């Protein structure tokens, strides 16, 4: 059987509404089929912990094959998957349209969907996935919330005992008010002399950008407005990525329908949609259409959505950017998994090269954080281990700045460096748009 294909990798719609999708006997058969292919290939041994876990199960079993494995052990493989998509995107030679039809991440997703239907999803996973509720409460009581979530603080021991969140893991701080409430007074008027004047963008604030780290949003609206773009900031609700990770696919599909309807009039009015985090861009552009195939509004939204760095590069190519002062500096650029999974190339690298004198260097290893996956006690040490190669590569040459398009990855990589004894841990690993804002003097 030949490896790979002359055609581009493709994904099938997720058949979450079909009863057969939840058939446990059929799921077991498909898991064994795919696991046997992975066992015979083993190219993904150095990605997430799912593959070493699977290969150890096989190698340590009596018959050393997948056929005789106890399916109770499959959960260990599934739980180690962060849905980063890197096996599908960069390693596996058997992804569709290859006839073996291997989509490992979406198979793990199917397993979790069955778990969710059976009521197996843990309480902490379900509560952490309520990001809008948590964000509203966190910003309302930000002083208390930020004391409670501080690493190794007294409250963290309670959280570890009750929710399983490792007391060492960094948790994002809450802002004092949502970005959408502050935006009206902070969005600059578009620069009429810029070549991009007439362009219009909705910055989809996202949960993290709305309730937690607002620096990328502030930087983005200034840079875009300076380049003539009319900006508005909206956050109808969470894109559903945390619930997607839990296998709660109906909730995600329903959110996709609501949010696409919310953005529809803006798209019709000429606005492009630009989420502030790569995970949300991935959901809008790729995962939602797979959950809702044939839905016109969701497809229109998908085609109107740009990742932030992607939009800046497109704006530069189409219109040209306002002049940027020289900023001689070296930059370590982390190529986040959910940016890479959008199959658009390293747009952050391209964007930073637009700043005269800036020398960005790319690191394309996984940070190991995996959304909420890496904060749990059973995963935290593994998350640090997986992130060490990325942290080492990012530190090479002692760059003046380090950036990542994934805000959780940036914070996690700082923690990896600190726990690994790095001599110089940066004060911040922010979004690359922040350096663009700095170059403009904002």
């Amino acid at each position: 059987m030949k490896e790979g294909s002359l055609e581009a990798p493709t994904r099938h719609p997720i058949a979450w509404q079909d009863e057969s999708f939840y058939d446990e006997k059929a799921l077991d058969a498909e898991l064994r089929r795919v696991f046997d292919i992975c066992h015979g290939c083993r190219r993904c041994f150095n990605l997430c912990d799912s593959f070493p876990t699977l290969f150890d199960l096989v190698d340590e079993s009596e018959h050393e094959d997948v056929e005789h494995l106890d399916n109770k052990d499959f959960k260990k493989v599934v739980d180690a998957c962060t849905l980063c998509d890197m096996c599908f995107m960069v390693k596996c030679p058997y992804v569709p349209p290859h006839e073996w039809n291997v989509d490992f991440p979406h198979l793990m997703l199917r397993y979790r969907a069955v778990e969710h239907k059976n009521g197996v999803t843990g309480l902490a996973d379900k509560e952490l996935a309520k990001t809008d509720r948590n964000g509203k409460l966190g910003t309302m009581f930000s002083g208390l919330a930020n004391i409670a979530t501080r690493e190794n603080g007294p409250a963290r021991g309670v959280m570890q005992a009750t929710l399983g969140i490792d007391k060492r893991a960094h948790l994002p701080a809450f802002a004092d008010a949502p970005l959408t409430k502050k935006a009206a007074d902070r969005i600059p008027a578009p620069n009429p002399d810029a070549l991009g004047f007439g362009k219009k963008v909705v910055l989809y604030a996202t949960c993290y950008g709305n309730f937690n780290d607002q620096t990328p949003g502030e930087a983005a609206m200034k840079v875009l407005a300076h380049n003539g773009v009319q900006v508005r900031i909206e956050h109808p609700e969470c894109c559903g990525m945390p619930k997607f990770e839990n296998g709660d696919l109906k909730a995600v599909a329903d959110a996709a329908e609501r949010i696409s309807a919310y953005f529809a009039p803006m798209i019709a009015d000429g606005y492009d949609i630009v989420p502030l985090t790569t995970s949300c861009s991935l959901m809008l552009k790729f995962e939602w259409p797979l959950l809702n195939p044939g839905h016109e509004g969701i497809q229109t939204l998908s085609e109107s959505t740009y990742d932030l760095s992607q939009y800046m590069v497109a704006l530069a190519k189409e219109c040209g950017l306002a002049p940027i002062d020289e900023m001689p500096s070296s930059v370590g650029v982390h190529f986040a998994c959910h940016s890479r999974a959008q199959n658009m190339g390293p747009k952050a690298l391209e964007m930073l090269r637009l700043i005269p004198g800036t020398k960005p260097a790319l690191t394309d290893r996984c940070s190991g954080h995996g959304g909420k996956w890496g904060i749990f006690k059973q995963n935290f040490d593994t998350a640090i281990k997986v992130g060490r190669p990325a942290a080492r590569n990012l530190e090479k040459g002692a760059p003046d700045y380090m950036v990542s398009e994934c805000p959780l990855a940036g914070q996690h990589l700082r923690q990896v460096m600190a726990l690994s004894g790095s001599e110089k841990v940066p004060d911040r690993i922010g979004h690359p748009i922040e350096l663009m804002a700095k170059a403009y003097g904002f």
Side-chain angles (χ1 to χ4, degrees):
M1 177 60 62
K2 68 178 182 179
E3 293 186 351
S5 171
L6 296 178
E7 300 175 70
T10 187
R11 274 189 147 151
H12 304 304
I14 300 170
W16 64 274
Q17 297 185 74
D18 297 346
E19 279 300 317
S20 60
F21 188 78
Y22 303 95
D23 185 300
E24 294 185 40
K25 187 174 181 180
L27 173 60
D28 182 82
E30 181 63 4
L31 286 164
R32 292 181 189 276
R33 184 188 76 85
V34 170
F35 285 176
D36 192 49
I37 294 169
C38 295
H39 160 52
C41 176
R42 301 204 174 200
R43 293 188 185 194
C44 291
F45 73 96
N46 62 345
L47 291 181
C48 70
D49 227 37
S50 284
F51 297 100
T53 299
L54 171 61
F55 303 150
D56 286 347
L57 285 174
V58 175
D59 294 342
E60 294 169 7
S61 66
E62 181 181 356
H63 300 281
E64 297 186 13
D65 63 14
V66 173
E67 180 184 354
H68 292 90
L69 291 180
D70 188 336
N71 62 9
K72 292 179 182 178
D73 290 328
F74 292 172
K75 183 171 172 56
K76 300 174 186 175
V77 179
V78 177
D79 286 350
C81 175
T82 63
L83 297 181
C84 73
D85 272 351
M86 287 303 96
C87 56
F88 183 90
M89 293 299 301
V90 303
K91 285 278 191 178
C92 183
Y94 305 119
V95 298
H98 192 282
E99 63 184 280
W100 284 1
N101 192 31
V102 173
D103 187 337
F104 190 93
H106 278 185
L107 180 58
M108 302 299 99
L109 181 68
R110 181 181 174 186
Y111 187 103
R112 291 178 185 177
V114 172
E115 283 191 318
H116 179 78
K117 185 177 181 181
N118 292 338
V120 178
T121 307
L123 176 64
D125 276 309
K126 288 191 288 188
E127 294 305 312
L128 288 170
K130 298 174 182 176
T131 49
D132 284 324
R133 180 206 64 182
N134 298 340
K136 289 172 184 175
L137 289 173
T139 52
M140 191 180 300
F141 304 103
S142 58
L144 289 173
N146 293 337
I147 292 172
T149 56
R150 192 174 298 153
E151 288 106 291
N152 290 306
R156 292 298 299 273
V158 177
M159 293 174 69
Q160 180 171 297
T162 57
L163 297 173
I165 298 173
D166 197 295
K167 63 183 179 182
R168 299 167 294 170
H170 171 82
L171 296 179
F174 290 98
D176 58 356
L179 181 62
T180 48
K181 288 192 175 181
K182 300 176 181 178
D185 299 328
R186 299 192 184 189
I187 299 176
N191 176 10
D193 299 322
L195 295 171
F197 186 71
K199 293 280 190 180
K200 298 192 285 188
V201 158
V202 174
L203 289 175
Y204 176 25
T206 73
C207 302
Y208 193 89
N210 197 36
F211 301 118
N212 302 108
D213 187 357
Q214 298 173 351
T215 307
E218 299 267 7
M221 64 187 186
K222 291 174 184 176
V223 169
L224 288 167
H226 185 64
N227 281 282
V229 180
Q230 182 178 334
V231 178
R232 58 189 293 177
I233 299 180
E234 302 284 346
H235 182 69
E237 61 179 284
C238 174
C239 74
M241 172 63 87
K243 293 182 180 179
F244 187 75
E245 294 170 340
N246 288 348
D248 188 359
L249 303 185
K250 184 181 186 307
V252 181
D254 289 348
E257 292 191 8
R258 291 191 299 270
I259 296 172
S260 63
Y262 181 90
F263 283 132
M266 302 173 207
I267 295 171
D269 195 30
Y271 280 88
D272 294 312
I273 311 301
V274 179
L276 288 175
T277 64
T278 58
S279 297
C280 302
S281 299
L282 179 67
M283 292 295 286
L284 272 62
K285 290 162 73 173
F286 295 103
E287 301 292 4
W288 282 5
L290 293 175
L291 288 171
N292 300 272
H295 190 289
E296 185 177 346
I298 289 172
Q299 187 59 40
T300 298
L301 176 57
S302 171
E303 294 168 0
S304 304
T305 297
Y306 297 82
D307 197 70
L308 179 53
S309 300
Q310 179 189 22
Y311 185 84
M312 288 303 303
V313 171
L315 184 67
K317 290 179 179 178
E318 183 179 342
C319 304
L321 298 183
I324 309 174
D325 290 337
E326 187 171 3
M327 193 175 80
S329 55
S330 56
V331 184
V333 182
H334 174 241
F335 195 5
C337 295
H338 284 171
S339 177
R340 196 170 180 180
Q342 293 177 55
N343 203 26
M344 60 185 177
K347 294 302 178 184
L349 192 75
E350 291 184 52
M351 183 180 73
L352 292 173
R353 284 175 176 161
L354 298 171
I355 304 173
T358 297
K359 298 178 180 178
L362 196 69
T363 291
D364 62 357
R365 295 294 296 265
C366 179
S367 73
H369 193 274
K372 58 184 170 54
W373 180 89
I375 68 174
F376 287 110
K377 182 169 173 47
Q378 69 267 27
N379 300 332
F380 181 72
D381 289 327
T382 300
I384 295 295
K385 179 187 73 173
V386 172
R388 283 199 177 103
R392 285 196 298 267
N393 289 348
L394 206 56
E395 290 178 295
K396 279 183 181 177
D400 299 309
Y401 302 99
M402 299 181 197
V403 295
S404 174
E405 290 173 296
C406 175
L408 292 175
Q411 292 292 342
H412 181 65
L413 287 168
R414 283 189 70 253
Q415 190 163 33
V416 171
M417 293 172 190
L419 293 175
S420 301
S422 297
E423 293 183 4
K424 187 179 179 181
V425 180
D427 293 332
R428 178 175 176 80
I429 301 180
H431 193 285
I433 196 67
E434 297 169 35
L435 290 188
M436 182 70 76
K438 183 178 179 66
Y440 276 124
F442 300 136

mmCIF file of all heavy atoms in Angstrom, residues 106-120:
data_model
loop_
_atom_site.group_PDB
_atom_site.id
_atom_site.type_symbol
_atom_site.label_atom_id
_atom_site.label_comp_id
_atom_site.label_asym_id
_atom_site.label_seq_id
_atom_site.Cartn_x
_atom_site.Cartn_y
_atom_site.Cartn_z
ATOM 1 N N HIS A 106 -10.166 13.223 14.991
ATOM 2 C CA HIS A 106 -11.628 13.143 14.953
ATOM 3 C C HIS A 106 -12.142 11.794 15.452
ATOM 4 O O HIS A 106 -13.293 11.701 15.880
ATOM 5 C CB HIS A 106 -12.139 13.455 13.549
ATOM 6 C CG HIS A 106 -12.234 14.921 13.276
ATOM 7 N ND1 HIS A 106 -12.768 15.443 12.124
ATOM 8 C CD2 HIS A 106 -11.873 16.003 14.044
ATOM 9 C CE1 HIS A 106 -12.722 16.767 12.173
ATOM 10 N NE2 HIS A 106 -12.175 17.124 13.329
ATOM 11 N N LEU A 107 -11.302 10.780 15.435
ATOM 12 C CA LEU A 107 -11.674 9.516 16.059
ATOM 13 C C LEU A 107 -11.668 9.673 17.583
ATOM 14 O O LEU A 107 -12.553 9.146 18.277
ATOM 15 C CB LEU A 107 -10.717 8.406 15.623
ATOM 16 C CG LEU A 107 -10.976 7.010 16.194
ATOM 17 C CD1 LEU A 107 -12.386 6.523 15.852
ATOM 18 C CD2 LEU A 107 -9.929 6.018 15.684
ATOM 19 N N MET A 108 -10.679 10.383 18.119
ATOM 20 C CA MET A 108 -10.658 10.668 19.556
ATOM 21 C C MET A 108 -11.881 11.509 19.940
ATOM 22 O O MET A 108 -12.481 11.318 21.009
ATOM 23 C CB MET A 108 -9.379 11.422 19.939
ATOM 24 C CG MET A 108 -8.071 10.702 19.596
ATOM 25 S SD MET A 108 -7.862 9.098 20.411
ATOM 26 C CE MET A 108 -8.374 7.984 19.086
ATOM 27 N N LEU A 109 -12.245 12.421 19.064
ATOM 28 C CA LEU A 109 -13.432 13.246 19.295
ATOM 29 C C LEU A 109 -14.692 12.380 19.344
ATOM 30 O O LEU A 109 -15.565 12.593 20.189
ATOM 31 C CB LEU A 109 -13.546 14.285 18.177
ATOM 32 C CG LEU A 109 -14.711 15.257 18.260
ATOM 33 C CD1 LEU A 109 -14.531 16.212 19.440
ATOM 34 C CD2 LEU A 109 -14.839 16.049 16.957
ATOM 35 N N ARG A 110 -14.781 11.410 18.459
ATOM 36 C CA ARG A 110 -15.938 10.510 18.454
ATOM 37 C C ARG A 110 -16.024 9.734 19.769
ATOM 38 O O ARG A 110 -17.113 9.579 20.340
ATOM 39 C CB ARG A 110 -15.830 9.541 17.270
ATOM 40 C CG ARG A 110 -17.001 8.570 17.162
ATOM 41 C CD ARG A 110 -16.811 7.624 15.986
ATOM 42 N NE ARG A 110 -17.852 6.595 15.938
ATOM 43 C CZ ARG A 110 -17.852 5.582 15.091
ATOM 44 N NH1 ARG A 110 -16.867 5.448 14.199
ATOM 45 N NH2 ARG A 110 -18.831 4.685 15.121
ATOM 46 N N TYR A 111 -14.892 9.251 20.257
ATOM 47 C CA TYR A 111 -14.868 8.535 21.537
ATOM 48 C C TYR A 111 -15.412 9.440 22.651
ATOM 49 O O TYR A 111 -16.229 9.026 23.483
ATOM 50 C CB TYR A 111 -13.433 8.100 21.836
ATOM 51 C CG TYR A 111 -13.266 7.207 23.045
ATOM 52 C CD1 TYR A 111 -13.058 5.838 22.896
ATOM 53 C CD2 TYR A 111 -13.294 7.724 24.346
ATOM 54 C CE1 TYR A 111 -12.885 5.008 23.999
ATOM 55 C CE2 TYR A 111 -13.126 6.903 25.457
ATOM 56 C CZ TYR A 111 -12.930 5.542 25.263
ATOM 57 O OH TYR A 111 -12.761 4.734 26.367
ATOM 58 N N ARG A 112 -14.982 10.708 22.648
ATOM 59 C CA ARG A 112 -15.433 11.631 23.686
ATOM 60 C C ARG A 112 -16.914 11.963 23.528
ATOM 61 O O ARG A 112 -17.612 12.214 24.517
ATOM 62 C CB ARG A 112 -14.585 12.904 23.649
ATOM 63 C CG ARG A 112 -13.154 12.658 24.098
ATOM 64 C CD ARG A 112 -12.305 13.898 24.022
ATOM 65 N NE ARG A 112 -10.917 13.580 24.337
ATOM 66 C CZ ARG A 112 -9.927 14.470 24.295
ATOM 67 N NH1 ARG A 112 -10.182 15.728 23.963
ATOM 68 N NH2 ARG A 112 -8.693 14.105 24.579
ATOM 69 N N ALA A 113 -17.384 11.989 22.289
ATOM 70 C CA ALA A 113 -18.809 12.223 22.060
ATOM 71 C C ALA A 113 -19.641 11.087 22.635
ATOM 72 O O ALA A 113 -20.723 11.314 23.204
ATOM 73 C CB ALA A 113 -19.077 12.391 20.567
ATOM 74 N N VAL A 114 -19.142 9.861 22.491
ATOM 75 C CA VAL A 114 -19.828 8.706 23.080
ATOM 76 C C VAL A 114 -19.794 8.815 24.606
ATOM 77 O O VAL A 114 -20.800 8.571 25.279
ATOM 78 C CB VAL A 114 -19.192 7.388 22.593
ATOM 79 C CG1 VAL A 114 -19.762 6.194 23.355
ATOM 80 C CG2 VAL A 114 -19.408 7.210 21.091
ATOM 81 N N GLU A 115 -18.640 9.189 25.143
ATOM 82 C CA GLU A 115 -18.550 9.387 26.589
ATOM 83 C C GLU A 115 -19.552 10.452 27.058
ATOM 84 O O GLU A 115 -20.232 10.270 28.076
ATOM 85 C CB GLU A 115 -17.137 9.827 26.975
ATOM 86 C CG GLU A 115 -16.107 8.725 27.004
ATOM 87 C CD GLU A 115 -14.817 9.192 27.653
ATOM 88 O OE1 GLU A 115 -14.384 10.316 27.376
ATOM 89 O OE2 GLU A 115 -14.240 8.417 28.445
ATOM 90 N N HIS A 116 -19.601 11.546 26.322
ATOM 91 C CA HIS A 116 -20.511 12.625 26.714
ATOM 92 C C HIS A 116 -21.957 12.151 26.692
ATOM 93 O O HIS A 116 -22.734 12.437 27.614
ATOM 94 C CB HIS A 116 -20.342 13.822 25.779
ATOM 95 C CG HIS A 116 -21.258 14.971 26.105
ATOM 96 N ND1 HIS A 116 -21.015 15.843 27.138
ATOM 97 C CD2 HIS A 116 -22.445 15.346 25.562
ATOM 98 C CE1 HIS A 116 -21.999 16.713 27.215
ATOM 99 N NE2 HIS A 116 -22.874 16.439 26.271
ATOM 100 N N LYS A 117 -22.322 11.417 25.663
ATOM 101 C CA LYS A 117 -23.686 10.896 25.567
ATOM 102 C C LYS A 117 -23.992 9.956 26.726
ATOM 103 O O LYS A 117 -25.126 9.902 27.226
ATOM 104 C CB LYS A 117 -23.880 10.174 24.239
ATOM 105 C CG LYS A 117 -25.309 9.710 23.999
ATOM 106 C CD LYS A 117 -25.479 9.063 22.637
ATOM 107 C CE LYS A 117 -26.928 8.645 22.423
ATOM 108 N NZ LYS A 117 -27.142 7.988 21.114
ATOM 109 N N ASN A 118 -22.985 9.223 27.185
ATOM 110 C CA ASN A 118 -23.158 8.271 28.282
ATOM 111 C C ASN A 118 -23.000 8.915 29.661
ATOM 112 O O ASN A 118 -23.029 8.221 30.678
ATOM 113 C CB ASN A 118 -22.171 7.115 28.136
ATOM 114 C CG ASN A 118 -22.479 6.241 26.934
ATOM 115 O OD1 ASN A 118 -23.604 6.223 26.435
ATOM 116 N ND2 ASN A 118 -21.479 5.514 26.453
ATOM 117 N N GLY A 119 -22.793 10.222 29.700
ATOM 118 C CA GLY A 119 -22.683 10.930 30.975
ATOM 119 C C GLY A 119 -21.368 10.738 31.687
ATOM 120 O O GLY A 119 -21.286 10.898 32.914
ATOM 121 N N VAL A 120 -20.302 10.429 30.933
ATOM 122 C CA VAL A 120 -19.003 10.137 31.545
ATOM 123 C C VAL A 120 -18.147 11.397 31.712
ATOM 124 O O VAL A 120 -17.234 11.416 32.531
ATOM 125 C CB VAL A 120 -18.243 9.079 30.695
ATOM 126 C CG1 VAL A 120 -16.868 8.785 31.264
ATOM 127 C CG2 VAL A 120 -19.063 7.794 30.612
#
